[in-house]
Amino acid sequence: MRVVIAEDLVLLRDGLTWLLQAHGMTVVRGVETGEELLAAAAEERPDVLIVDVRLPPTFTDEGLRAALAARRAVPGLPVLVLSQYVEQLYARELLAGGSGGIGYLLKDRVLDSAEFVEAVRRVAGGGTVMDPEVIARLLTHNAGNGAVASLSPREREVLSLMAEGRSNAAVAQQMVITERAVAKHTASIFTRLGLQPSDDDNRRVLAVLAYLNR
């Protein structure tokens, strides 16, 4: 697996490089700026980009904007955002961007290296990995939306877990309910949101996130 890392902190970038290489991945480029990220994505065509939100020179949202531009240049390019911040505007645009793996993790909430490596693999494979705090903020931002507001507290909890990329079995385990109950909640959620149910977990998550982006 070939990886490009966009992170301006040298120690963190080197640490990520060491960790991923220790698990059999190849970090083909480590860059510091959005401009360098775009060049690396175009030249290397990696299996996944790992991107910080805030990069030089302004340290605002260069990383996310560059990730969006990279996905426009290379459709379906998997992107895993790893940051201290939730940039809601560009995060919603990135998450609702269609095909290709997507992830958004908060640095200070990544507590297990093995789980992080698994998240990288999942995104590279076309899956979705979301930190619950990111989902909570996106849902809060859209709380006034009529359809979302019409969901019951239980359905909102299921929606949040779905948006993290969890399967029905994982949702059931987290909520301590049966998979049949999760399936009923899921069907109700899609009906209320006007979305067609799907057995494909990744497409289901992206559909929900696309809706929340409206």
Side-chain angles (χ1 to χ4, degrees):
M1 185 183 301
R2 303 171 72 255
V3 184
V4 167
I5 299 174
E7 168 60 61
D8 65 293
L9 296 177
V10 175
L11 290 179
L12 179 55
R13 188 171 68 242
D14 288 351
L16 288 172
T17 298
W18 177 87
L19 174 64
L20 297 178
Q21 290 179 340
H23 285 80
M25 304 182 197
T26 300
V27 177
V28 294
R29 192 86 64 89
V31 301
E32 297 184 8
T33 68
E35 185 176 342
E36 291 173 339
L37 184 157
L38 285 173
E43 295 168 8
E44 301 290 352
R45 298 296 178 107
D47 296 302
V48 61
L49 292 178
I50 299 178
V51 183
D52 191 5
V53 169
R54 301 186 177 185
L55 296 175
T58 67
F59 296 96
T60 54
D61 53 20
E62 289 91 344
L64 267 179
R65 288 190 286 109
L68 285 165
R71 279 173 66 87
R72 287 192 291 269
V74 185
L77 179 65
V79 173
L80 172 59
V81 178
L82 180 63
S83 182
Q84 292 176 288
Y85 311 97
V86 179
E87 173 50 64
Q88 295 191 17
L89 176 63
Y90 291 112
R92 290 193 303 276
E93 185 177 349
L94 180 66
L95 294 168
S99 63
I102 288 294
Y104 201 129
L105 299 177
L106 299 179
K107 290 177 180 177
D108 59 357
R109 289 167 57 87
V110 177
L111 304 177
D112 185 282
S113 59
E115 289 184 3
F116 174 73
V117 171
E118 178 56 33
V120 174
R121 295 189 188 281
R122 183 170 182 176
V123 172
T128 302
V129 178
M130 300 294 296
D131 187 287
E133 178 65 22
V134 175
I135 294 301
R137 295 194 193 184
L138 293 177
L139 288 174
T140 298
H141 179 84
N142 290 276
N145 181 293
V148 174
S150 72
L151 299 178
S152 70
R154 202 66 161 171
E155 289 168 345
R156 286 175 63 83
E157 185 177 359
V158 171
L159 175 61
S160 178
L161 293 171
M162 284 168 51
E164 290 175 31
R166 300 181 189 236
S167 64
N168 278 6
V171 172
Q173 183 178 17
Q174 177 70 23
M175 297 181 64
V176 195
I177 58 178
T178 65
E179 287 190 51
R180 184 175 181 180
V182 173
K184 288 184 177 180
H185 285 310
T186 301
S188 176
I189 289 168
F190 277 108
T191 297
R192 291 176 187 269
L193 299 185
L195 298 169
Q196 292 298 315
S198 171
D199 291 331
D200 185 301
D201 186 53
N202 187 47
R203 286 190 300 153
R204 176 178 67 177
V205 171
L206 293 177
V208 173
L209 292 172
Y211 177 85
L212 294 176
N213 191 50
R214 293 178 183 177

